Amino acid sequence: KQEVTQIPAALSVPEGENLVLNCSFTDSAIYNLQWFRQDPGKGLTSLLLIQSSQREQTSGRLNASLDKSSGRSTLYIAASQPGDSATYLCAVLYSSASKIIFGSGTRLSIRP
Amino acid sequence: NAGVTQTPKFQVLKTGQSMTLQCAQDMNHNSMYWYRQDPGMGLRLIYYSASEGTTDKGEVPNGYNVSRLNKREFSLRLESAAPSQTSVYFCASSEVSPYEQYFGPGTRLTVT
């Protein structure tokens, strides 16, 4: 069964720290992997998308990596700020665009 | 450029009532999606439309119908609402490959 797992479910760190969020998937035949941010009561905001042929993508303080052989993606956040507090979700798209699986998310809290 | 819009934002239905959730996008995307988000279950795909005139079932299509009215609009209909359909519903759109998804703000539906 294709599954996407995000551990830990919640994370609290002091402001200024660099941190890594994890996303694991059981089936490595992915088409792409997308990271999102969701603020309470809001929709999802796209952060980064990595296609299956890519190893990483960067946007500002964010860097996402992809290792298909180990079934893992990581989202690295540099110099964290209180405004980074949100739930971060990863989603894996398989060859059929109707096969999209989301992880349950990591709720991140940055302490001032 | 509004992105993806959804109406209504909130809705309360009684069991057995029907309603249609509306979604529109102004990014000229071909693909559109309907998801539901439940605590502990993450986001799950209900229906997907690759282009105007085509729809495909996702992971949890039972109890729902969809219409891809034109390239901009994709509606989700509940014919006879049940308490199990209490959820937050999100619409999303993407261009063909690499299918980076953009989400609307969501509709919070309660069925009593």
Side-chain angles (χ1 to χ4, degrees), chain A residues 76-99:
Chain A
Y76 174 83
I77 302 177
S80 58
Q81 304 169 357
D84 294 330
S85 297
T87 296
Y88 290 80
L89 299 114
C90 65
V92 177
L93 173 67
Y94 289 96
S95 57
S96 164
S98 63
K99 189 67 175 178

Side-chain angles (χ1 to χ4, degrees), chain B residues 42-79:
Chain B
L43 276 109
R44 292 177 293 170
L45 183 65
I46 305 172
Y47 269 96
Y48 160 68
S49 171
S51 61
E52 184 179 348
T54 68
T55 60
D56 287 297
K57 294 178 181 179
E59 182 183 354
V60 288
N62 291 346
Y64 305 96
N65 287 302
V66 290
S67 296
R68 184 71 182 269
L69 306 168
N70 47 56
K71 191 171 185 180
R72 289 188 64 248
E73 298 171 292
F74 190 34
S75 63
L76 178 73
R77 183 160 178 84
L78 286 70
E79 291 291 353

Side-chain angles (χ1 to χ4, degrees), chain A residues 31-32 34 38 46 97-98 100, chain B residues 37 45 48 97-98 100-101:
Chain A
Y31 187 85
N32 69 32
Q34 191 169 359
Q38 186 175 28
S46 177
S98 63
I100 302 168
Chain B
Q37 185 176 36
L45 183 65
Y48 160 68
S97 187
E100 182 171 6
Q101 295 191 55

